[in-house]
Amino acid sequence: MTIRHVVLLRFKPETGPDAINLVEQSFAALHGAIAEVQELEWGTNNSPEGLDHGFTHCFSLGFADTAARDAYLVHPTHQGFTALAGPHFADVLVVDYELHA
């Protein structure tokens, strides 16, 4: 059973482009740094619907199962990323779900 972990980010207004770039690159690097992360893709919002509620970035991670996802959540590298990036966030929204095809 594949678990998808979707993270939406809204940055603080005072967060500049260099800090945003650091967060983007640090988040993307989790794929190679944490074995449980089977896949990671991300992008910035470009929806014309205006329903983003200020969230600008979406990261989607794939895990083999809930145990792998749970191991990722407490992994020291993930915790380090959270400490680095967290001060730049105005809000974070996370949704996890089991993939159905």
Side-chain angles (χ1 to χ4, degrees), residues 22-23 25-30 33-34 71-89:
L22 176 63
V23 170
Q25 298 312 308
S26 298
F27 204 143
L30 295 177
I34 301 175
Y72 158 81
L73 292 175
V74 298
H75 193 284
T77 303
H78 176 252
Q79 294 298 309
F81 164 76
T82 301
L84 168 83
H88 299 292
F89 301 148

Side-chain angles (χ1 to χ4, degrees), residues 11 18 47 58:
F11 286 91
D18 289 343
S47 173
C58 179

Side-chain angles (χ1 to χ4, degrees), residues 2 10 15 22 25 30 36 38-39 45-46 50-51 54 59 70 72 76-77 83-84 86 88-90 99:
T2 298
R10 179 172 36 202
T15 301
L22 176 63
Q25 298 312 308
L30 295 177
E36 288 82 5
Q38 291 184 327
E39 56 186 296
N45 180 51
N46 66 4
L51 300 173
F59 289 80
D70 293 349
Y72 158 81
T77 303
L84 168 83
H88 299 292
F89 301 148
L99 191 60

Side-chain angles (χ1 to χ4, degrees), residues 1 3 5 7 10 12 16 19-20 27 29 36 52 59 64-66 74-76 82 98:
M1 123 186 82
I3 298 296
H5 177 73
V7 181
R10 179 172 36 202
K12 292 179 179 175
I20 291 173
F27 204 143
E36 288 82 5
D52 53 69
F59 289 80
D65 51 32
T66 56
V74 298
H75 193 284
T82 301
E98 182 179 333

Side-chain angles (χ1 to χ4, degrees), residues 3-7 63 69-70 73 94-98:
I3 298 296
R4 191 74 68 215
H5 177 73
V6 178
V7 181
F63 298 93
R69 187 263 331 267
D70 293 349
L73 292 175
V94 176
V95 175
D96 293 359
Y97 61 94
E98 182 179 333

